[in-house]
Amino acid sequence: MHSDLSRLIELDRERKRIAHIGAILGWDQETCMPPKAVDERSEQLALIESLAHEKSVRPEIGELLLRLGSTSANPSGDSSLDQIERAYLRVLRRAWDRDTKLPADLVAEFARAVSLGQAAWVEAKKNNDFPAFAPHLEKILGLIRRQAACLDPGKGAYDVLLDLYEPGSTEASVAAIFSRLRKDLVGILTKIRSRPQIDDSILHETVGEARQKAGSDWIMDLLDFDRGRGRLDISAHPFTTTLGVDDVRITTRYIPDYYPSSLFSTMHETGHALYELGIAPGPDFQGTELAEAASMAVHESQSRFWENMVGRGDAFWKRNFRHLAELVSPALDGVRREDFVRAINRVAPSFIRTEADEVTYGLHIILRFELESDLVSGRLAVPDLPAAWKVKARELLGLEVRDDVHGCLQDVHWSAGLFGYFPSYALGNLYAAQFATAMRKDLPDFDDRISAGDTASILGWLREKVHASGSTWLPSELIERVTGSALDPSHFVAYLEGKYSRIYGY
Ligand code: CO
């Protein structure tokens, strides 16, 4: 390997290592830190973040990238390099541009604005007081637009933001996918609403924490989560975090009268963790920028594949229902497997995105995508957001939003400055379904394998096709390579149609 490239990898690994140390502090804060330690911890995190930033913007990285021929216009560098080396330069150039193009004063002002914005959002949500949050949102949007202009003055601000989470995507490309998806989701929802609703009260029996924990451990083992390379803990909101090449942590929470929450969030986070643990672009690139996920949406495809396409499927419970019933006994005593599977797949429009089912979830995201792109572009003024939300909720979900707590104040993302992130959630479902279609061609006995407890061959397929390459390919390249075509919502729609026409009998 070229010595400039080896040096670049060395510098890159150092910045990743510091980021992982920061992640350990963050993980600890969410899982076991005593509450009074919070002030000092935020100082520690700020210090680590500034060290990581220093390492990321070392001039030597920029010089090495240039020497290897990598520029913003030609990120992959010299054509004489290997394909994987060129992929590496592309992702590192991308990270370098992102980290160096923003002036320090803008970064600091943004950090302050989102810190104040989040505190204001918490209060506003508590008091259902959107006007108290509005000036913060205005401020954050102004800074977001300035950031986008620094990153790429030649592109629309929302395009620049989308590209941060889903490289290569644009407002037009996402809008084209979502307009098809919207029509189909509304169609499925209309058919479901014409049928008698499913009663899911059987899921609301009380199950103690120890038995829910045993359930989560069991799920992790069923899905082949290597405990030698990760662990499960408890936090207020479930998450996955990577602390190193061989250390991926997941969390869950135990709600006493709703054990499916921990069961399915453990499957979801295990899906994220399996992806992280499966990234292996080759020994030369372990622990580098190339060993990152292809995108947020591809990440979400892995969590949703295991949670919904495997974990909420009848095939999975054919094998596992009896054991679950023993674990949560007497909560499922006398309940038939078929009724359990129907209950965990109940579809009903609801106000809160995080509680949404597989069908309505995408509609929640489309609503946010349409509103946030309008906010960023200035087509929608901040004071008009609550009313615009209500109109869209009626159109998309058939719901009358009664207050902003159940509307535009429910999510943390905008107060945290995360504009452009929401689409990843819905795109994740589309990737998952399209990967699953390709997988069923290679493994036509997919359902039988799951009923037989053979999830290992499914994980093996995902590792080889999706996980291993990390960010070697743009998401659009990855989906083409794995499935032979561009991202297409019809796979997800067909999956939903097949599943819910059976469940609701339409
Ligand atoms: Co997720």
Side-chain angles (χ1 to χ4, degrees), residues 40-54:
E40 196 182 354
R41 178 55 48 86
S42 59
E43 296 295 325
Q44 293 166 341
L45 279 165
L47 177 61
I48 283 285
E49 253 167 59
S50 71
L51 285 175
H53 185 71
E54 255 172 54

Side-chain angles (χ1 to χ4, degrees), residues 268-269 272 300 303-304 425:
H268 183 98
E269 303 305 332
H272 281 304
E300 200 62 17
S303 55
R304 280 162 199 262
Y425 294 122

